[in-house]
Amino acid sequence: MKDMADTGKLEELARPLAEYLKENCHPHSAIVITAERTAVVETVLSMPQDGVR
């Protein structure tokens, strides 16, 4: 990351997305943002591997 010091700006930008998830999606949803796209993704199944915590 180029500038880790500006976490306040990242929090400001992320807050509306977190609200969107809370109001429109279920708890297994997440938003992934890249330079090319923004996606709402859903975890269908997730469990730890044996011996990995």
Side-chain angles (χ1 to χ4, degrees):
M1 200 166 177
K2 290 182 182 178
D3 185 8
M4 296 286 292
D6 199 4
T7 57
K9 181 64 174 178
L10 182 59
E11 183 178 346
E12 175 187 335
L13 294 167
R15 192 176 311 277
L17 295 173
E19 288 298 318
Y20 175 85
L21 281 177
K22 189 175 6 174
E23 294 172 5
N24 297 287
C25 302
H26 59 75
H28 303 289
S29 299
I31 294 176
V32 177
I33 300 171
T34 66
E36 292 82 27
R37 71 179 64 242
T38 301
V40 176
V41 296
E42 176 183 336
T43 301
V44 175
L45 177 65
S46 176
M47 58 187 170
Q49 300 296 323
D50 289 338
V52 179
R53 294 257 174 211

Short mmCIF file of all heavy atoms in Angstrom, two decimals:
data_model
loop_
_atom_site.label_atom_id
_atom_site.label_comp_id
_atom_site.label_asym_id
_atom_site.label_seq_id
_atom_site.Cartn_x
_atom_site.Cartn_y
_atom_site.Cartn_z
N MET A 1 0.85 -1.17 0.00
CA MET A 1 0.00 0.00 0.00
C MET A 1 0.90 1.23 0.00
O MET A 1 1.86 1.31 0.76
CB MET A 1 -0.89 -0.05 1.24
CG MET A 1 -2.09 0.78 1.15
SD MET A 1 -3.22 0.30 2.51
CE MET A 1 -4.48 1.45 2.24
N LYS A 2 0.57 2.20 -0.81
CA LYS A 2 1.42 3.38 -0.96
C LYS A 2 1.48 4.22 0.31
O LYS A 2 2.54 4.66 0.71
CB LYS A 2 0.93 4.24 -2.12
CG LYS A 2 1.16 3.60 -3.47
CD LYS A 2 0.69 4.52 -4.57
CE LYS A 2 0.87 3.86 -5.91
NZ LYS A 2 0.38 4.68 -7.00
N ASP A 3 0.33 4.47 0.95
CA ASP A 3 0.31 5.33 2.13
C ASP A 3 -0.61 4.74 3.18
O ASP A 3 -1.82 4.92 3.12
CB ASP A 3 -0.14 6.73 1.74
CG ASP A 3 -0.07 7.72 2.90
OD1 ASP A 3 0.47 7.35 3.96
OD2 ASP A 3 -0.57 8.84 2.74
N MET A 4 -0.04 4.04 4.12
CA MET A 4 -0.83 3.41 5.18
C MET A 4 -1.37 4.44 6.17
O MET A 4 -2.23 4.14 6.98
CB MET A 4 0.03 2.39 5.93
CG MET A 4 0.49 1.22 5.10
SD MET A 4 -0.82 0.04 4.77
CE MET A 4 -1.10 -0.61 6.39
N ALA A 5 -0.87 5.66 6.15
CA ALA A 5 -1.24 6.66 7.14
C ALA A 5 -2.67 7.17 6.98
O ALA A 5 -3.26 7.65 7.93
CB ALA A 5 -0.27 7.83 7.09
N ASP A 6 -3.25 7.07 5.79
CA ASP A 6 -4.57 7.66 5.54
C ASP A 6 -5.69 6.63 5.73
O ASP A 6 -6.54 6.45 4.88
CB ASP A 6 -4.63 8.27 4.14
CG ASP A 6 -5.77 9.26 4.00
OD1 ASP A 6 -6.47 9.52 5.01
OD2 ASP A 6 -5.98 9.76 2.89
N THR A 7 -5.68 5.95 6.88
CA THR A 7 -6.74 4.98 7.14
C THR A 7 -8.08 5.67 7.35
O THR A 7 -9.12 5.06 7.12
CB THR A 7 -6.40 4.12 8.36
OG1 THR A 7 -6.18 4.97 9.48
CG2 THR A 7 -5.17 3.26 8.10
N GLY A 8 -8.08 6.91 7.77
CA GLY A 8 -9.32 7.65 7.95
C GLY A 8 -10.08 7.79 6.64
O GLY A 8 -11.31 7.66 6.60
N LYS A 9 -9.37 8.06 5.55
CA LYS A 9 -10.01 8.18 4.24
C LYS A 9 -10.60 6.84 3.80
O LYS A 9 -11.71 6.78 3.29
CB LYS A 9 -9.00 8.69 3.20
CG LYS A 9 -9.57 8.86 1.82
CD LYS A 9 -10.64 9.95 1.79
CE LYS A 9 -11.10 10.20 0.37
NZ LYS A 9 -12.17 11.20 0.31
N LEU A 10 -9.86 5.75 4.03
CA LEU A 10 -10.37 4.43 3.67
C LEU A 10 -11.62 4.10 4.48
O LEU A 10 -12.60 3.61 3.94
CB LEU A 10 -9.30 3.37 3.91
CG LEU A 10 -9.69 1.95 3.54
CD1 LEU A 10 -10.08 1.84 2.07
CD2 LEU A 10 -8.55 1.00 3.86
N GLU A 11 -11.61 4.43 5.76
CA GLU A 11 -12.79 4.20 6.59
C GLU A 11 -13.98 5.02 6.10
O GLU A 11 -15.11 4.52 6.03
CB GLU A 11 -12.48 4.55 8.04
CG GLU A 11 -13.64 4.26 8.97
CD GLU A 11 -13.33 4.57 10.43
OE1 GLU A 11 -12.14 4.77 10.75
OE2 GLU A 11 -14.27 4.62 11.21
N GLU A 12 -13.74 6.26 5.72
CA GLU A 12 -14.80 7.13 5.19
C GLU A 12 -15.42 6.54 3.92
O GLU A 12 -16.63 6.58 3.73
CB GLU A 12 -14.20 8.51 4.89
CG GLU A 12 -15.14 9.48 4.23
CD GLU A 12 -14.45 10.76 3.81
OE1 GLU A 12 -13.41 11.12 4.38
OE2 GLU A 12 -14.95 11.40 2.86
N LEU A 13 -14.59 6.00 3.05
CA LEU A 13 -15.08 5.41 1.81
C LEU A 13 -15.78 4.08 2.04
O LEU A 13 -16.75 3.74 1.34
CB LEU A 13 -13.91 5.20 0.84
CG LEU A 13 -13.25 6.48 0.33
CD1 LEU A 13 -11.94 6.16 -0.37
CD2 LEU A 13 -14.19 7.24 -0.59
N ALA A 14 -15.32 3.31 3.03
CA ALA A 14 -15.87 1.98 3.27
C ALA A 14 -17.19 2.00 4.04
O ALA A 14 -18.01 1.09 3.88
CB ALA A 14 -14.86 1.14 4.04
N ARG A 15 -17.40 3.01 4.84
CA ARG A 15 -18.61 3.05 5.68
C ARG A 15 -19.90 2.89 4.88
O ARG A 15 -20.77 2.08 5.25
CB ARG A 15 -18.62 4.33 6.51
CG ARG A 15 -19.68 4.33 7.60
CD ARG A 15 -19.60 5.57 8.47
NE ARG A 15 -18.26 5.87 8.96
CZ ARG A 15 -17.70 5.32 10.03
NH1 ARG A 15 -18.37 4.44 10.73
NH2 ARG A 15 -16.48 5.65 10.40
N PRO A 16 -20.12 3.61 3.76
CA PRO A 16 -21.36 3.43 3.00
C PRO A 16 -21.49 2.01 2.42
O PRO A 16 -22.60 1.49 2.32
CB PRO A 16 -21.27 4.46 1.87
CG PRO A 16 -20.25 5.45 2.30
CD PRO A 16 -19.32 4.72 3.22
N LEU A 17 -20.37 1.39 2.07
CA LEU A 17 -20.43 0.02 1.55
C LEU A 17 -20.82 -0.95 2.65
O LEU A 17 -21.61 -1.88 2.42
CB LEU A 17 -19.09 -0.37 0.94
CG LEU A 17 -18.68 0.43 -0.30
CD1 LEU A 17 -17.26 0.08 -0.71
CD2 LEU A 17 -19.65 0.18 -1.44
N ALA A 18 -20.31 -0.75 3.85
CA ALA A 18 -20.68 -1.60 4.98
C ALA A 18 -22.17 -1.46 5.28
O ALA A 18 -22.86 -2.45 5.56
CB ALA A 18 -19.84 -1.26 6.21
N GLU A 19 -22.67 -0.24 5.22
CA GLU A 19 -24.11 -0.01 5.43
C GLU A 19 -24.93 -0.70 4.34
O GLU A 19 -25.97 -1.29 4.62
CB GLU A 19 -24.42 1.49 5.46
CG GLU A 19 -23.95 2.17 6.71
CD GLU A 19 -24.62 1.64 7.97
OE1 GLU A 19 -25.85 1.40 7.95
OE2 GLU A 19 -23.90 1.45 8.96
N TYR A 20 -24.46 -0.63 3.09
CA TYR A 20 -25.15 -1.31 1.99
C TYR A 20 -25.24 -2.81 2.27
O TYR A 20 -26.31 -3.41 2.11
CB TYR A 20 -24.41 -1.06 0.67
CG TYR A 20 -25.03 -1.83 -0.47
CD1 TYR A 20 -26.11 -1.32 -1.17
CD2 TYR A 20 -24.54 -3.08 -0.83
CE1 TYR A 20 -26.70 -2.04 -2.20
CE2 TYR A 20 -25.13 -3.81 -1.85
CZ TYR A 20 -26.20 -3.29 -2.54
OH TYR A 20 -26.79 -4.02 -3.54
N LEU A 21 -24.13 -3.41 2.68
CA LEU A 21 -24.15 -4.85 2.99
C LEU A 21 -25.14 -5.14 4.11
O LEU A 21 -25.92 -6.10 4.03
CB LEU A 21 -22.77 -5.33 3.41
CG LEU A 21 -21.76 -5.59 2.32
CD1 LEU A 21 -20.42 -6.00 2.93
CD2 LEU A 21 -22.24 -6.65 1.35
N LYS A 22 -25.10 -4.34 5.17
CA LYS A 22 -25.97 -4.58 6.32
C LYS A 22 -27.45 -4.49 5.93
O LYS A 22 -28.26 -5.28 6.40
CB LYS A 22 -25.65 -3.56 7.41
CG LYS A 22 -26.34 -3.86 8.71
CD LYS A 22 -25.98 -2.97 9.89
CE LYS A 22 -25.10 -1.80 9.64
NZ LYS A 22 -24.91 -0.93 10.80
N GLU A 23 -27.79 -3.55 5.06
CA GLU A 23 -29.19 -3.33 4.71
C GLU A 23 -29.69 -4.21 3.57
O GLU A 23 -30.90 -4.44 3.46
CB GLU A 23 -29.39 -1.85 4.33
CG GLU A 23 -29.17 -0.91 5.49
CD GLU A 23 -29.16 0.55 5.08
OE1 GLU A 23 -29.41 0.85 3.89
OE2 GLU A 23 -28.87 1.39 5.95
N ASN A 24 -28.80 -4.71 2.71
CA ASN A 24 -29.25 -5.38 1.49
C ASN A 24 -28.77 -6.82 1.33
O ASN A 24 -29.22 -7.50 0.41
CB ASN A 24 -28.78 -4.58 0.27
CG ASN A 24 -29.41 -3.21 0.24
OD1 ASN A 24 -30.58 -3.07 -0.03
ND2 ASN A 24 -28.62 -2.20 0.55
N CYS A 25 -27.86 -7.28 2.17
CA CYS A 25 -27.27 -8.60 1.97
C CYS A 25 -27.31 -9.39 3.28
O CYS A 25 -27.63 -8.85 4.32
CB CYS A 25 -25.83 -8.46 1.49
SG CYS A 25 -25.68 -7.50 -0.04
N HIS A 26 -26.96 -10.65 3.20
CA HIS A 26 -26.91 -11.47 4.41
C HIS A 26 -25.49 -11.48 4.96
O HIS A 26 -24.55 -11.02 4.31
CB HIS A 26 -27.44 -12.88 4.13
CG HIS A 26 -26.69 -13.61 3.08
ND1 HIS A 26 -25.45 -14.15 3.28
CD2 HIS A 26 -26.99 -13.88 1.79
CE1 HIS A 26 -25.02 -14.73 2.19
NE2 HIS A 26 -25.94 -14.57 1.26
N PRO A 27 -25.29 -12.02 6.18
CA PRO A 27 -23.99 -11.95 6.84
C PRO A 27 -22.84 -12.67 6.12
O PRO A 27 -21.68 -12.46 6.47
CB PRO A 27 -24.24 -12.59 8.21
CG PRO A 27 -25.70 -12.51 8.41
CD PRO A 27 -26.31 -12.57 7.05
N HIS A 28 -23.15 -13.50 5.14
CA HIS A 28 -22.10 -14.22 4.43
C HIS A 28 -21.68 -13.51 3.14
O HIS A 28 -20.99 -14.09 2.31
CB HIS A 28 -22.57 -15.65 4.12
CG HIS A 28 -22.97 -16.40 5.35
ND1 HIS A 28 -22.06 -16.84 6.29
CD2 HIS A 28 -24.18 -16.75 5.81
CE1 HIS A 28 -22.70 -17.44 7.26
NE2 HIS A 28 -23.99 -17.40 7.00
N SER A 29 -22.08 -12.27 3.00
CA SER A 29 -21.73 -11.48 1.82
C SER A 29 -20.55 -10.56 2.12
O SER A 29 -20.34 -10.16 3.27
CB SER A 29 -22.92 -10.61 1.38
OG SER A 29 -24.02 -11.41 1.03
N ALA A 30 -19.81 -10.22 1.08
CA ALA A 30 -18.69 -9.29 1.20
C ALA A 30 -18.58 -8.50 -0.09
O ALA A 30 -19.06 -8.94 -1.15
CB ALA A 30 -17.39 -10.04 1.46
N ILE A 31 -17.97 -7.34 -0.03
CA ILE A 31 -17.70 -6.54 -1.22
C ILE A 31 -16.20 -6.60 -1.48
O ILE A 31 -15.40 -6.37 -0.57
CB ILE A 31 -18.16 -5.09 -1.04
CG1 ILE A 31 -19.69 -5.05 -0.91
CG2 ILE A 31 -17.69 -4.22 -2.20
CD1 ILE A 31 -20.25 -3.67 -0.64
N VAL A 32 -15.85 -6.93 -2.71
CA VAL A 32 -14.45 -6.97 -3.13
C VAL A 32 -14.27 -5.89 -4.19
O VAL A 32 -14.99 -5.87 -5.20
CB VAL A 32 -14.08 -8.36 -3.72
CG1 VAL A 32 -12.65 -8.36 -4.22
CG2 VAL A 32 -14.30 -9.45 -2.68
N ILE A 33 -13.31 -5.00 -3.97
CA ILE A 33 -13.06 -3.90 -4.90
C ILE A 33 -11.65 -4.05 -5.46
O ILE A 33 -10.69 -4.19 -4.70
CB ILE A 33 -13.20 -2.54 -4.20
CG1 ILE A 33 -14.61 -2.38 -3.62
CG2 ILE A 33 -12.87 -1.41 -5.16
CD1 ILE A 33 -14.77 -1.18 -2.73
N THR A 34 -11.57 -4.04 -6.78
CA THR A 34 -10.27 -4.03 -7.45
C THR A 34 -10.25 -2.80 -8.36
O THR A 34 -11.23 -2.07 -8.45
CB THR A 34 -10.05 -5.31 -8.29
OG1 THR A 34 -10.99 -5.32 -9.37
CG2 THR A 34 -10.20 -6.57 -7.45
N ALA A 35 -9.17 -2.61 -9.05
CA ALA A 35 -9.08 -1.48 -9.98
C ALA A 35 -10.04 -1.63 -11.15
O ALA A 35 -10.42 -0.65 -11.78
CB ALA A 35 -7.65 -1.33 -10.49
N GLU A 36 -10.44 -2.86 -11.45
CA GLU A 36 -11.29 -3.12 -12.62
C GLU A 36 -12.77 -3.28 -12.31
O GLU A 36 -13.61 -3.11 -13.18
CB GLU A 36 -10.83 -4.40 -13.36
CG GLU A 36 -9.48 -4.27 -14.02
CD GLU A 36 -8.33 -4.49 -13.05
OE1 GLU A 36 -8.52 -5.20 -12.04
OE2 GLU A 36 -7.25 -3.92 -13.28
N ARG A 37 -13.12 -3.67 -11.07
CA ARG A 37 -14.53 -3.93 -10.78
C ARG A 37 -14.83 -3.91 -9.30
O ARG A 37 -13.94 -3.99 -8.47
CB ARG A 37 -14.97 -5.26 -11.37
CG ARG A 37 -14.42 -6.50 -10.69
CD ARG A 37 -14.90 -7.82 -11.31
NE ARG A 37 -14.42 -7.94 -12.66
CZ ARG A 37 -15.22 -8.02 -13.74
NH1 ARG A 37 -16.51 -8.04 -13.61
NH2 ARG A 37 -14.72 -8.10 -14.94
N THR A 38 -16.11 -3.82 -8.99
CA THR A 38 -16.62 -3.97 -7.63
C THR A 38 -17.60 -5.13 -7.66
O THR A 38 -18.48 -5.18 -8.51
CB THR A 38 -17.34 -2.69 -7.16
OG1 THR A 38 -16.42 -1.60 -7.22
CG2 THR A 38 -17.87 -2.83 -5.75
N ALA A 39 -17.44 -6.09 -6.73
CA ALA A 39 -18.28 -7.28 -6.73
C ALA A 39 -18.82 -7.55 -5.33
O ALA A 39 -18.12 -7.37 -4.34
CB ALA A 39 -17.46 -8.49 -7.20
N VAL A 40 -20.07 -7.98 -5.28
CA VAL A 40 -20.64 -8.51 -4.04
C VAL A 40 -20.50 -10.02 -4.16
O VAL A 40 -21.00 -10.62 -5.11
CB VAL A 40 -22.12 -8.10 -3.86
CG1 VAL A 40 -22.70 -8.74 -2.61
CG2 VAL A 40 -22.25 -6.59 -3.80
N VAL A 41 -19.80 -10.63 -3.21
CA VAL A 41 -19.56 -12.07 -3.24
C VAL A 41 -20.21 -12.73 -2.03
O VAL A 41 -20.47 -12.08 -1.02
CB VAL A 41 -18.05 -12.40 -3.29
CG1 VAL A 41 -17.44 -11.88 -4.59
CG2 VAL A 41 -17.32 -11.82 -2.11
N GLU A 42 -20.47 -14.01 -2.14
CA GLU A 42 -21.16 -14.75 -1.09
C GLU A 42 -20.37 -16.02 -0.77
O GLU A 42 -19.96 -16.75 -1.67
CB GLU A 42 -22.55 -15.12 -1.58
CG GLU A 42 -23.35 -15.97 -0.65
CD GLU A 42 -24.70 -16.35 -1.23
OE1 GLU A 42 -25.20 -15.64 -2.11
OE2 GLU A 42 -25.24 -17.36 -0.80
N THR A 43 -20.18 -16.27 0.50
CA THR A 43 -19.55 -17.52 0.93
C THR A 43 -20.65 -18.55 1.12
O THR A 43 -21.57 -18.35 1.90
CB THR A 43 -18.78 -17.32 2.26
OG1 THR A 43 -17.80 -16.33 2.05
CG2 THR A 43 -18.15 -18.61 2.72
N VAL A 44 -20.54 -19.64 0.38
CA VAL A 44 -21.52 -20.71 0.48
C VAL A 44 -21.11 -21.70 1.56
O VAL A 44 -21.93 -22.17 2.35
CB VAL A 44 -21.69 -21.43 -0.87
CG1 VAL A 44 -22.61 -22.61 -0.76
CG2 VAL A 44 -22.18 -20.45 -1.93
N LEU A 45 -19.82 -22.02 1.63
CA LEU A 45 -19.31 -22.95 2.63
C LEU A 45 -17.88 -22.56 2.96
O LEU A 45 -17.08 -22.29 2.07
CB LEU A 45 -19.35 -24.38 2.09
CG LEU A 45 -18.78 -25.48 2.98
CD1 LEU A 45 -19.62 -25.62 4.25
CD2 LEU A 45 -18.74 -26.79 2.22
N SER A 46 -17.58 -22.54 4.25
CA SER A 46 -16.22 -22.22 4.69
C SER A 46 -15.93 -22.98 5.97
O SER A 46 -16.73 -22.95 6.90
CB SER A 46 -16.09 -20.72 4.92
OG SER A 46 -14.82 -20.41 5.43
N MET A 47 -14.81 -23.69 6.00
CA MET A 47 -14.40 -24.39 7.20
C MET A 47 -12.89 -24.49 7.22
O MET A 47 -12.26 -24.53 6.16
CB MET A 47 -15.04 -25.78 7.29
CG MET A 47 -14.74 -26.68 6.14
SD MET A 47 -15.73 -28.15 6.31
CE MET A 47 -15.43 -28.89 4.73
N PRO A 48 -12.29 -24.50 8.41
CA PRO A 48 -10.82 -24.57 8.49
C PRO A 48 -10.31 -25.94 8.06
O PRO A 48 -11.00 -26.94 8.21
CB PRO A 48 -10.52 -24.31 9.97
CG PRO A 48 -11.77 -24.68 10.68
CD PRO A 48 -12.89 -24.43 9.72
N GLN A 49 -9.10 -25.97 7.53
CA GLN A 49 -8.44 -27.22 7.20
C GLN A 49 -7.94 -27.87 8.49
O GLN A 49 -7.64 -27.17 9.45
CB GLN A 49 -7.26 -26.97 6.25
CG GLN A 49 -7.65 -26.35 4.94
CD GLN A 49 -8.55 -27.25 4.11
OE1 GLN A 49 -8.41 -28.45 4.09
NE2 GLN A 49 -9.50 -26.63 3.42
N ASP A 50 -7.83 -29.18 8.51
CA ASP A 50 -7.32 -29.89 9.69
C ASP A 50 -5.95 -29.34 10.08
O ASP A 50 -5.07 -29.20 9.25
CB ASP A 50 -7.19 -31.38 9.42
CG ASP A 50 -8.55 -32.06 9.33
OD1 ASP A 50 -9.52 -31.50 9.88
OD2 ASP A 50 -8.64 -33.15 8.74
N GLY A 51 -5.80 -28.99 11.34
CA GLY A 51 -4.53 -28.51 11.84
C GLY A 51 -4.26 -27.04 11.59
O GLY A 51 -3.26 -26.51 12.04
N VAL A 52 -5.11 -26.36 10.86
CA VAL A 52 -4.91 -24.93 10.57
C VAL A 52 -5.95 -24.14 11.34
O VAL A 52 -7.14 -24.37 11.24
CB VAL A 52 -5.05 -24.65 9.05
CG1 VAL A 52 -4.87 -23.16 8.80
CG2 VAL A 52 -4.08 -25.48 8.26
N ARG A 53 -5.50 -23.21 12.13
CA ARG A 53 -6.43 -22.38 12.91
C ARG A 53 -6.14 -20.94 12.70
O ARG A 53 -5.19 -20.39 12.62
CB ARG A 53 -6.34 -22.70 14.39
CG ARG A 53 -6.80 -24.09 14.70
CD ARG A 53 -8.16 -24.06 15.27
NE ARG A 53 -8.59 -25.46 15.42
CZ ARG A 53 -9.82 -25.83 15.32
NH1 ARG A 53 -10.74 -24.96 15.09
NH2 ARG A 53 -10.16 -27.07 15.48
#
